[in-house]
Amino acid sequence: LFIEQIVNGLTLGAYYALIAVGLALIFGVARLINFAHGEFYMLGGYAFWYAYAELGLPYPVAGLAAVAAMGLFGLAYERAVIRTILPRTWHVQLIATLATSITLTNLAILVFGTQPKEVPTRLSAAILDVGGIRLAWQRVVVLVAAVAIFAGLEWFVGHTKLGKAMRAMSQNREACAVVGVDVQHVALATFG
């Protein structure tokens, strides 16, 4: 039971860590606290639910479709909102991202209703039994996916030109602009 609870805690921690890394990346690169960040994850969940439950796409394809939809949403959000408020004071940034949060929450209620949406799969009910330790396969998949995502992000930030530009912008945005880094392009990619 103890090991099962550790795995459950690690799975929940992986969810929180994925959300935190998105917040940290946006704050580090754009110097912006995005109060709508949680709502972005909500929209990603609804995008996955719609692709899987309503369109009938296979689980992995629905996951990739949700990622692509949220990438496009992030790009559009950066162009429409973030680009206009970045040069403004922190008060304007706070109000704009908070207003986005409230708007997205209420739009989700209008469009999807107030009842929770479920995406049951065979993995949710499938149990892995190893030496008397029983784990849901879904939790194992979440942990493996989280580790893979973190490893991919670590590689991206450390080895690609765009990732290095993100690291440089997190240290000194003005110096990046002086040496020719397109700071708007890097901010756009970060939100995407």
Side-chain angles (χ1 to χ4, degrees), residues 59-126:
Y59 198 82
V61 176
L64 293 174
V67 169
M70 289 313 299
L72 292 174
F73 178 80
L75 294 173
Y77 181 68
E78 194 280 336
R79 288 279 180 160
V81 177
I82 300 303
R83 190 164 289 192
T84 59
I85 65 169
L86 266 182
R88 309 299 256 332
T89 65
W90 68 270
H91 300 94
V92 174
Q93 295 174 357
L94 172 104
I95 291 169
T97 59
L98 194 56
T100 301
S101 170
I102 293 167
T103 302
L104 290 176
T105 299
N106 287 305
L107 279 174
I109 290 170
L110 286 173
V111 173
F112 299 108
T114 58
Q115 296 301 314
K117 307 291 185 211
E118 294 182 1
V119 188
T121 66
R122 286 181 282 135
L123 290 177
S124 303

Side-chain angles (χ1 to χ4, degrees), residues 25 152-160 162-167:
L25 194 62
L153 183 62
E154 176 70 25
W155 178 85
F156 174 78
V157 170
H159 294 91
T160 65
L162 181 58
K164 291 176 184 179
M166 287 177 175
R167 286 189 2 227

